[in-house]
Amino acid sequence: MGRTVSSITQTFLKERAAFARFRRALRSSDQRVLDDLFASARKHLSAASYASHALPFETFLLSMLLEEHKEIIRLRQEVAEIRHVIQQ
Amino acid sequence: MELIPVPHSPTLQLLVAPSSFQRKAAITFIAELAQTGPVRVLDGGNRLDILSLNRELRRKDLLLYTALEHVQVARAFTCYQMTTLLEQPAPGGIPTLVLNLLTTFQDENAPLLERLRLLETSLYHLQKNARHSPVLLIVHPQPTEEPFLARIRETADRVWVFEPHHPAIQFSLF
Amino acid sequence: MSSSNELHGWLLDIYPDPAQGVILWLLDEDGIRRHRLHQPFPTAFYVHGDNGSLRTLWRYLKSLSLPVQLSRVEQQDLFKEQPLPVLEVLTETPCAQEQLFHHLKTSFPDLTYYNADIPLALRYAAQTHTFPLARCRVLATDGGEIEALETLDTPWMIDTPPVPLLVMVLTPDCNPDHKEPVELKVYLEGKHYLFPFKEERGLLIKLRALLRRYDPDLLLTVWGDKWLITKLHQLMEKHQITLPLSREQGRGVERREERFYHSYGRVIYRGPQARLFGRIHISTENTVMYHDYGLEGVFEMARVTSLRIQTAARVSPGTGISSMQILTALRQGVLVPWHKQQVERFKTAYSLLQADRGGLVYQPTIGLHSQVAEIDFISMYPSIMEHFNVSPETVGKGGANGTFVPELEMTIDQDHRGLVPDTLQPLLEKRIKLKQALAGMNPKDARYLPYKAQSSAHKWLLVTCFGYLGYKNARFGRIEAHEAVTAYGREALLRAKEAAEDLGYRVLHMYVDGLWVQKEGASKVADFQPLLEEILDRTGLPISLDGIYQWIAFLSSRPDPRVPVANRYFGLFQNGTWKVRGIEVRRDDTSRWVKNIQLEMLNLLADAPDAGKLVEQLPRIHTLLQTRLAALREQKVPLVDLLISQKLSRTLGEYKVLSPAARAAAQLEEIGKHLIPGQRVRFLYTRGKPGVYAWDLPERPDPGAININRYAELLCRAAFTILQPLGVEEQTLRWWMFTNAGYGAPPGFLPDSCSQEIPLLGDLFSPAPHLPPIIL
């Protein structure tokens, strides 16, 4: 019983599908990057589900940002390490 | 729905439409009514798409959370539950939308005579409610639901029927 | 004037009798005598409605001149504040009650009926506290009429001495679905008999002699409900020989036809049933979860539900839970409605968005992790109901001490104990007692198997009781209660996560009622004890350490390696046992050949002393794969090991594109073997068209026709599942398997830190994917 509200995975797939035309018109190299962004949103579906935001796409955007920022921190750290090695 | 006026006066209206259209119609009506005040939604098909409703509210540039608070939902999963829900009068004459009324009456675990009896009880309460508040039934009937639908048509004050759209032959590009 | 006899023994069976009320069969404590006892049992039901309708009903009942007593009384409806004025209809026997109600429900359909369709076993249990196989002390007249009955134990004790039941096993020599059985095998008292079906008279006479001589308490049959009892009946009619199948003279076999019903949009098939009187008939193919818990589990199901053993064996766990709730209601004097009437309360669309969700399922951190503890809430949902008093009649009510459900605008009454928590409490306590007893027990201990079986029976009841709370036809169900349980479940899991992170553990994965955690330096049970205590403290729910993995691999989705999948992993516990979910070896549609090789691979990995040394097993795995592939190419693999078994998802006509299973079913259709959706079809992949060969065709296929490449590909996928977390890329694996490339050096390396996350954009921008991970 219940299950009137569609699951977070269904919602995600629907939102992603809504951008199919946008994706199709991108260059294939850009398509791959876009796919990566959606894949990173997928990493936080459970948090998005728990949030049950009225407009879930906002949560997906935030998840993409979160993963992007993680990557920036990782790269920063790496640059610092390389710098450290060079300076020695 | 520019084609049908949003129900504001006490009447019992019936909208019969193909599946995709009736879902869109339901969302549009709810969004429209929630803009101005409370609205009751009785869902017999377990398929009220709240996320589409949210998008519709945003499209209309409405206060999303206020509108969502206006929408009062209850779901029925059996014809017994549907009948019990319909017995509850709408407080203060607020409009009521009933979605997929007939779905719960297709449950073969209940005998046909019992289901028809419950339908009559439901119709009685729908009419009673419609004397004080607008009531709109939105259905997309399956072939097996015809005898049930016929009874609802007889009871409704106004009936809107939308036929499925048969696309014209398209010439191919190449 | 008859004198009283005092009897001691076990309750075997109970059923209604039109003249004598209720019949009880008692197995005497001497293990030899069986007593048929009876007792008058006046039975009441209740009717509610407006005054006019009730008056009409009253007059109607009076006009029937039946021996019934009518009175206006007040009774408690679970969902009403005040007692409800109802008409009590008291009949002389349970049989009369059943008949009268059957008549009234069609003549007066608008009235509300209570206590109208309750099995006699439950009514009797409510009054006397009996249950199947309970030890009883009975005072009875010489004529067998019960004057007093006392139940000496409860269903909640864990060490019930075994009941000396005499069991007769009857099995046809083959599955009657496939071909007509030739012989009937009979096992009894350590003896073994074979009766050919073609000697019809002889079979009946010999079987009758055995039944008369031994008078078994229980007939355990294979295909009994479906075939054997019907077959015996046909023979009995043909030869005019009556077998005393039932112990009660004059009562034959109670038969129920097979039926279909719809549940959650699926068609459920219930086979025909054949029940006996005074003797128990259990038909293994029709006993729910027989393969899971055996006779001991069936007995436990009957003990805790109080249903007749034959009934308990054949009902779903949902009916079991419902029976337990009915019994609680009867004992509390609460009315049991015939139909569910509770409807969802109106809630705002925003609340619905919040409430209509299930348990929390996380995306695990993909990759290989070592020294990981799995921590589970014990029977999480039932524990929540018990601990937070979640029950259909308590949700949405405040009271002086009402509690708020997290996330939802809902309160729960804490002043009155709910019907559902009250029902579950002893069951949960017994389950935890068994779990504790089993934890330290040697599997050779005589108590081990019975405990396991009991525990399994409880597990099914407890798993079901949550779903049942939200089931549309549940008498004591309410969707809000269902929503409250999942809300508490999400809250508990998040509190557990917070507790873990606060204590310095890293949470790798969470799945509804369990979490996987890791901490530098933590590898022993004691290292995780503080976390268990902290979680218990923060949630109030019982929690246990399921085990510590030496290492565990969380896998990604097959189509997209960047996307984690919640329930696809394999891990090796420190005690050497595996826990494997969602991979080929667990799937029903994997061939035995592939399953075995995947298991062999896992066993090779188990030889590695720790996660860091796993790659050292790669040369042995490489050799294994090459050897098995060579055997496949040389047609040395038995065909039966290559069988694929898949379910038909629809009828043949409904397929737009025929799946391999559908093509195999079509081959069977051509020779007149018809399969229906839901049935399995077994086939081999063959070369050319149609690409499959149905195993149940009369001829065996030519081993040369086997599609070697298809099987090699299936093996490659299964091998990749295991090797991917070790850093082996799919292309590398293909080189190993399908070219003559020898194994040189480990492909890549395992990082020094204990976990590895696959970098998200790694494949795009970085040629070397093995950068140290950043864990935030």
Side-chain angles (χ1 to χ4, degrees), chain C residues 85 87 135 181 195 259 268 276 294 301 338 344 379 462 465 471 541 580 613 643 669 672 691 693 702 704:
Chain C
L87 175 65
R135 266 173 51 76
F195 302 144
R259 66 193 178 100
I268 311 276
L276 306 176
M301 193 82 167
W338 174 43
E344 184 173 25
S379 301
L462 288 168
C465 77
Y471 175 50
L541 298 175
V580 175
K613 302 265 168 47
L643 279 183
E669 187 90 17
Y693 190 92
D702 168 20

Side-chain angles (χ1 to χ4, degrees), chain B residues 13-35:
Chain B
Q13 300 194 43
L14 170 67
L15 169 67
V16 184
S19 167
S20 59
F21 182 78
Q22 65 94 31
R23 291 178 87 156
K24 207 171 146 225
I27 296 293
T28 319
F29 281 127
I30 298 169
E32 196 74 35
L33 290 164
Q35 190 177 1

Side-chain angles (χ1 to χ4, degrees), chain C residues 235-396:
Chain C
L235 296 181
M236 276 153 64
E237 278 184 13
K238 187 171 163 192
H239 298 279
Q240 292 298 306
I241 295 173
T242 308
L243 288 177
L245 290 171
S246 275
R247 194 175 254 153
E248 167 106 31
Q249 285 179 9
R251 282 271 186 115
V253 179
E254 182 197 7
R255 311 187 58 91
R256 299 198 181 177
E257 295 304 313
E258 62 181 342
R259 66 193 178 100
F260 295 92
Y261 63 93
H262 297 265
S263 170
Y264 295 93
R266 286 184 309 156
V267 182
I268 311 276
Y269 171 79
R270 301 286 292 174
Q273 301 185 6
R275 302 185 195 189
L276 306 176
F277 297 90
R279 199 184 325 274
I280 301 155
H281 173 220
I282 289 177
S283 181
T284 58
E285 92 285 352
N286 213 13
T287 298
V288 187
M289 268 100 51
Y290 186 84
H291 62 277
D292 203 37
Y293 53 49
L295 269 187
E296 190 55 50
V298 171
F299 296 157
E300 182 65 8
M301 193 82 167
R303 280 192 197 104
V304 300
T305 60
S306 299
L307 290 169
R308 285 173 79 193
I309 295 171
Q310 298 182 80
T311 313
R314 290 170 175 86
V315 299
S316 65
T319 307
I321 274 289
S322 169
S323 304
M324 292 175 72
Q325 293 173 356
I326 288 174
L327 192 57
T328 310
L330 291 175
R331 283 186 181 151
Q332 290 179 353
V334 169
L335 292 171
V336 179
W338 174 43
H339 274 308
K340 175 186 179 155
Q341 301 136 0
Q342 262 46 59
V343 291
E344 184 173 25
R345 296 191 182 99
F346 280 95
K347 52 164 81 92
T348 69
Y350 185 70
S351 305
L352 178 59
L353 193 61
Q354 302 296 315
D356 192 35
R357 284 181 290 151
L360 212 52
V361 174
Y362 257 65
Q363 287 73 47
T365 312
I366 302 173
L368 187 68
H369 312 272
S370 64
Q371 308 302 349
V372 175
E374 183 181 339
I375 295 174
D376 292 331
F377 285 98
I378 303 172
S379 301
M380 185 198 233
Y381 285 163
S383 296
I384 286 173
M385 295 176 215
E386 201 270 329
H387 188 77
F388 297 103
N389 202 33
V390 183
S391 197
E393 80 280 20
T394 59
V395 292

